[in-house]
Amino acid sequence: MRSLALALRRHPEWMVAAVLVVAVVTIGLINPVFWQPANIFSLLRASVITGILALAVLLVMLSGGIDVSFPAFAIAAMYLTVRAMVAWGFDGVLLPFAMATAIGIGLGLVNAAFVHYLRMIPLIVTLGTGTAVRGFILGVVGTSQINIDQMPPLLINFARQDLFTVTQADGSPAGLSAMVLLYAVIALLVHLMLRHTMMGRSIYALGGGEEAARRVGFNTRRTTFFIYGLAGALAGFAGLLHGAMIWTANPRDMVGLELDVIAAVVLGGASIFGGRGSVIGTMLGVLTLVVITNSLIILGVDTTWQRVVVGLIVIAATAATAWRDRKRIA
Amino acid sequence: MTAITRRLRRLDTNLLQLVLLTVLIFAGMAALNPDRFLRPYVFESITFIAPELGLLAIAMMVAMLTGGIDLSVIGIANLACILAGLFFHAVGAPRGPDLVNLSWPLVAAGIGIALGTGLVAGAINGLLITRLRVTPILATIGTGQVFTGICLVLTGGPAVVGFPRLWGQIGNGTAFGIAVPLIVFLVVAGLVWFILSRTAFGINLALIGTNARAAAFAGLRTGRTVFLSYVLTGGLASIAGILLSGRTNAAKSDYGVSYLLQAVLIAVLAGTNPAGGRGSVPGIILALVALMLLSSGLQMMRFSNFLVDLIWGGFLLLSIALAAWRNRVR
């Protein structure tokens, strides 16, 4: 048992990888439809948005905090950008994504200011900013959904590109969305930043202990603003991408998504006490969660069970993480 | 005269600030809506709506006393009254006079079911937090999902409509010209106040929240005390659920979702330290009154619910800033 705990502490990715393999094999045995390319591709596509948001949550969790405001930020960036595009008759890809990312950064910096200067627990800060931003969008900007007929066509065309298409056994084509590649690139960049830059080391150091990080000479203020700014940027980007991928901009979207994303991140081995977690673990956690929740239908389980399953995953994953780190707390 | 000033000086400055805030909000709302705000009806409706939120805020404060938080209170409240509602539909009838005129022993049994649900749910949270050492945030996020998920599985989504008349009396009735929910709230709040400030259990909770390590070295059974505090939180949440379903004559898996932020807001505004150690029932009652006056005033000015959300969120951030400023002065 002790050596297992040690192995898990060194390589937390193995645990979630094992869970993923068990889940995939079990689901595939129960219903072979799972292995059809169309299903696999749709699962990968479904993990893009959750995955990018999970990277944002990972950054905050590495520093010892938790973020529940990112769905509101994502929706704010998406809805404001699309509304602006419709109002000005503008269409494009790069500029809108830059705008959504910038909105996300701005909102993220507000979180950072509260967390750093006012020393308040991140959960409560982000609960406040998230609710305020959601209230602002719905109460001031508007509640109407922008549908496919009004959505900027270039934006939609960008998100519907496929990397490649294969022909399935029954002759129907199945394409892998190019957005999966985009997600992989973003994840790689975050991974490189965390593992090979001074900023990345300072994020882990901040999570290990703020006072210690400061004594060693890390600029904790800059690190905090970087973390929440980047988390906001990822949220804003993911928000617009989400709108482009489902061809609608709905200001009431993504309600409750924070729980799924946090579930995926803790499943990926990140510790809420900070300092522990990796991009690879998080990506595996996202994929595992997406595979399990999206396979309930082909397993013949009623979809009303989905929340119970997500909740049990959070409890099991956090209990496992707490067990792994039990020495640290005691 | 000197006796009065001495008494005033002994009062918590935090409570004085809250009294000032309440008076300011009251005066502001009365000045903005002179003909509509100062009507007995307004205050009467507050006495029916405020108790359920007040109980949730007290529950949140109890969890915060030890530096934790309970994000599952809404799930507990809904699960408690859905189980009671399904029990009534099973022993009475799905609708009609049989259900409405259910005898009082059966209604009392329903109250027992709801309260028991809350206590068991709180005990599950407590076990996860004290035995498995899962962080309160993640443990209660997970159990909140599971409780809400069980609500969904039990009801399939739609609300459980129709409760016995006696049950409705708890949420809607009046006794001696006073709203029954207000009486319930005052009794429960008085009880919690007594437990927190006049019993060893309450003092121990505050000590554990101030410094868990010192409390453990002082020989306190911290695990058992924290466990009991989550049982208390669960019980309070289920009473809030009884009041909510009694008032609306229905129970649903997603009722009262916006209460979560409001409960946190009231607890923080009341001077509760989310890091643990500080919190009081009188503070909660004052913050509750202040915010109920604010929200009913805003509704009178035809603010949409979304705008009210924006203001609640902004208020939470403002109260964080206030608390930070207060601590700096000290």
Side-chain angles (χ1 to χ4, degrees):
Chain A
M1 283 301 260
R2 175 170 262 173
S3 59
L4 178 63
L6 196 71
L8 280 181
R9 215 171 300 157
R10 285 217 187 110
H11 306 283
E13 295 84 16
W14 289 4
M15 179 178 79
V16 59
V19 173
L20 179 60
V21 169
V22 169
V24 164
V25 169
T26 318
I27 296 165
L29 280 177
I30 294 173
N31 192 341
V33 171
F34 177 82
W35 290 111
Q36 279 188 3
N39 186 50
I40 302 287
F41 290 170
S42 101
L43 288 176
L44 287 173
R45 187 177 188 271
S47 67
V48 169
I49 299 299
T50 314
I52 299 176
L53 292 172
L55 292 172
V57 172
L58 172 70
L59 288 171
V60 176
M61 256 198 207
L62 281 179
S63 71
I66 196 166
D67 188 347
V68 291
S69 64
F70 59 90
F73 290 5
I75 289 307
M78 181 260 281
Y79 196 61
L80 286 173
T81 308
V82 175
R83 279 289 288 257
M85 289 171 83
V86 171
W88 297 331
F90 179 80
D91 199 354
V93 176
L94 275 182
L95 221 55
F97 272 105
M99 177 177 169
T101 310
I103 293 173
I105 293 176
L107 293 170
L109 292 181
V110 175
N111 277 343
F114 273 94
V115 170
H116 182 79
Y117 290 116
L118 302 178
R119 309 254 142 238
M120 183 41 94
I121 295 174
L123 171 72
I124 290 172
V125 171
T126 54
L127 205 55
T129 53
T131 308
V133 166
R134 182 80 74 171
F136 174 78
I137 292 294
L138 288 169
V140 178
V141 182
T143 52
S144 60
Q145 179 173 321
I146 297 170
N147 290 316
I148 172 82
D149 53 324
Q150 284 181 311
M151 284 289 278
L154 281 178
L155 196 64
I156 290 179
N157 282 335
F158 166 74
R160 74 199 299 180
Q161 292 174 78
D162 282 339
L163 271 183
F164 57 85
T165 315
V166 295
T167 310
Q168 297 188 98
D170 61 351
S172 60
L176 178 64
S177 170
M179 299 308 111
V180 175
L181 181 68
L182 191 63
Y183 165 45
V185 169
I186 292 175
L188 181 68
L189 289 176
V190 174
H191 173 79
L192 291 176
M193 184 275 294
L194 282 175
R195 286 297 150 102
H196 298 284
T197 67
M198 214 52 198
M199 185 50 86
R201 302 322 300 170
S202 75
I203 294 173
Y204 278 97
L206 188 62
E210 187 174 352
E211 190 55 40
R214 188 176 310 142
R215 297 269 172 101
V216 181
F218 284 118
N219 184 340
T220 53
R221 186 184 55 168
R222 207 176 58 194
T223 310
T224 307
F225 276 84
F226 179 84
I227 291 167
Y228 286 93
L230 182 54
L234 289 168
F237 184 88
L240 187 58
L241 191 60
H242 173 70
M245 283 172 78
I246 63 166
W247 309 346
T248 23
N250 179 4
R252 297 169 200 259
D253 212 344
M254 285 192 178
V255 172
L257 186 73
E258 59 271 22
L259 297 166
D260 286 13
V261 174
I262 291 169
V265 177
V266 293
L267 185 59
S271 162
I272 196 175
F273 296 107
R276 275 167 192 282
S278 68
V279 169
I280 298 159
T282 301
M283 291 177 82
L284 287 169
V286 169
L287 197 55
T288 311
L289 191 81
V290 167
V291 164
I292 292 176
T293 52
N294 282 315
S295 299
L296 290 180
I297 301 165
I298 64 169
L299 287 179
V301 179
D302 201 89
T303 46
T304 51
W305 282 93
Q306 185 161 333
R307 275 178 161 243
V308 179
V309 171
V310 173
L312 289 176
I313 290 176
V314 174
I315 295 171
T318 47
T321 318
W323 176 74
R324 180 193 78 194
D325 295 343
R326 66 198 186 289
K327 273 239 174 81
R328 270 162 57 89
I329 313 160
Chain B
M1 190 64 205
T2 46
I4 295 174
T5 48
R6 209 183 306 141
R7 276 197 76 111
L8 271 179
R9 219 173 288 148
R10 236 187 291 158
L11 265 175
D12 198 342
T13 49
N14 181 37
L15 281 186
L16 278 175
Q17 280 177 16
L18 277 174
V19 172
L20 199 68
L21 179 74
T22 314
V23 172
L24 273 179
I25 289 177
F26 180 79
M29 287 302 156
L32 285 170
N33 322 281
D35 44 340
R36 273 175 297 173
F37 190 69
L38 294 171
R39 283 185 184 173
Y41 167 76
V42 174
F43 304 102
E44 207 182 305
S45 72
I46 288 179
T47 61
F48 283 96
I49 299 169
E52 56 208 37
L53 179 56
L55 287 174
L56 291 173
I58 292 178
M60 196 63 77
M61 182 266 284
V62 170
M64 281 180 179
L65 263 183
T66 55
I69 195 163
D70 193 339
L71 299 176
S72 68
V73 283
I74 307 294
I76 295 176
N78 286 328
L79 182 60
C81 52
I82 281 176
L83 283 175
L86 293 176
F87 167 74
F88 293 140
H89 288 198
V91 297
R95 60 187 69 77
D98 283 353
L99 176 68
V100 173
N101 295 324
L102 213 59
S103 63
W104 71 265
L106 286 172
V107 174
I111 293 175
I113 289 176
L115 270 177
T117 309
L119 297 176
V120 170
I124 294 172
N125 282 335
L127 281 178
L128 283 172
I129 291 162
T130 56
R131 291 274 155 212
L132 296 179
R133 305 255 185 111
V134 180
T135 346
I137 294 177
L138 292 178
T140 55
I141 280 182
T143 56
Q145 286 281 294
V146 173
F147 299 147
T148 310
I150 295 173
C151 293
L152 269 174
V153 171
L154 287 174
T155 62
V160 177
V161 183
F163 277 86
R165 187 187 294 133
L166 283 172
W167 182 275
Q169 283 291 314
I170 305 172
N172 263 332
T174 51
F176 320 110
I178 304 169
V180 176
L182 183 66
I183 298 172
V184 173
F185 172 71
L186 290 177
V187 169
V188 175
L191 218 64
V192 176
W193 171 81
F194 181 81
I195 292 173
L196 290 185
S197 59
R198 294 286 182 275
T199 65
F201 168 75
I203 309 292
N204 289 353
L205 267 188
L207 177 55
I208 293 168
T210 313
N211 191 334
R213 188 170 288 243
F217 283 139
L220 296 186
R221 296 168 69 178
T222 56
R224 203 186 61 156
T225 313
V226 172
F227 169 80
L228 286 176
S229 81
Y230 279 93
V231 174
L232 176 62
T233 301
L236 289 170
S238 65
I239 301 175
I242 295 174
L243 296 185
L244 176 65
S245 60
R247 186 170 62 82
T248 58
N249 194 34
K252 192 162 181 274
S253 59
D254 63 352
Y255 270 176
V257 175
S258 62
Y259 277 161
L260 183 64
L261 173 99
Q262 298 178 9
V264 172
L265 166 58
I266 291 171
V268 173
L269 189 66
T272 313
N273 182 358
R278 224 152 52 92
S280 75
V281 173
I284 298 276
I285 295 175
L286 277 173
L288 175 70
V289 171
L291 288 172
M292 288 314 289
L293 290 173
L294 180 70
S295 78
S296 53
L298 290 175
Q299 264 154 13
M300 240 163 265
M301 289 154 73
R302 299 192 190 285
F303 273 47
S304 75
N305 279 334
F306 304 123
L307 276 177
V308 174
D309 268 359
L310 169 63
I311 291 167
W312 284 103
F315 228 88
L316 176 57
L317 296 174
L318 192 73
S319 61
I320 293 171
L322 264 177
W325 176 75
R326 235 172 12 219
N327 288 342
R328 188 172 304 172
V329 171
R330 277 196 302 151

